Amino acid sequence: MQWGRIAPVVALVVVLGGTLTGCDSESRVQPVDGGRGLTSVACAARIELETPAERRDAADLVVDADVTKTDRTVEPQGIYEVYEATVTDVTKGDAVTPGDTIQLISTSGQCETSGEPVEYPEGDPLAAEGTFRLYLSPTEDDDLWELVAPGAAEPRPAG
């Protein structure tokens, strides 16, 4: 093959490989407004955090909170439902205090959905609503938090 034919093929392989393997660790949250929300071309590299200690170390904020679903959605790399959490206890961080209400999304392991709702292979841990210990990181949207990794929400007894 000549370089005129090889270079485009190599460029395509590099771009596709980066997209499929997870090339970016930052979320880009864009509001969804009647289907006009932006679709990201990058893939969020999601890390697996197996234990509460690993989740705590990775999180900027750890809270116990009563979680309910809102009617709002956002689109960092797929369409995410937004949840509202009323904080009952803070075990790490100082961004909130008990009684505060925050907005959050339940991180999915799905890389990108081309503007479709994200899927949760093992189920969205917040879908049942209730009281959870949440391991959170901020997003680029100052008013929105996200689970530090897929499944980083532990059900807690109500009370």
Side-chain angles (χ1 to χ4, degrees):
M1 262 192 194
Q2 300 171 335
W3 269 112
R5 292 184 181 174
I6 293 174
V9 171
V10 170
L12 179 62
V13 168
V14 169
V15 169
L16 288 176
T19 300
L20 296 175
T21 61
C23 55
D24 189 2
S25 62
E26 294 184 24
S27 295
R28 288 173 202 64
V29 178
Q30 298 292 329
V32 175
D33 53 328
R36 295 180 352 173
L38 301 177
T39 301
S40 173
V41 295
C43 187
R46 298 291 183 201
I47 53 176
E48 296 210 15
L49 302 171
E50 301 288 329
T51 68
E54 290 173 326
R55 292 173 180 173
R56 182 177 177 77
D57 288 344
D60 293 292
L61 181 65
V62 180
V63 299
D64 290 345
D66 296 321
V67 177
T68 57
K69 189 173 163 182
T70 71
D71 59 358
R72 183 175 161 220
T73 59
V74 293
E75 188 175 343
Q77 293 172 325
I79 298 173
Y80 284 83
E81 300 286 337
V82 176
Y83 292 90
E84 185 172 86
T86 302
V87 177
T88 57
D89 189 30
V90 179
T91 62
K92 181 180 179 184
D94 58 7
V96 299
T97 59
D100 288 351
T101 299
I102 59 173
Q103 306 284 307
L104 69 131
I105 59 173
S106 179
T107 308
S108 169
Q110 191 174 17
C111 196
E112 185 178 325
T113 66
S114 299
E116 297 296 319
V118 295
E119 295 178 3
Y120 298 88
E122 296 178 21
D124 179 353
L126 301 180
E129 301 183 348
T131 302
F132 294 88
R133 169 143 307 151
L134 304 169
Y135 300 87
L136 302 167
S137 293
T139 66
E140 289 182 3
D141 178 341
D142 291 337
D143 297 326
L144 188 69
W145 293 84
E146 67 182 343
L147 295 179
V148 71
E154 300 167 0
R156 308 294 280 182

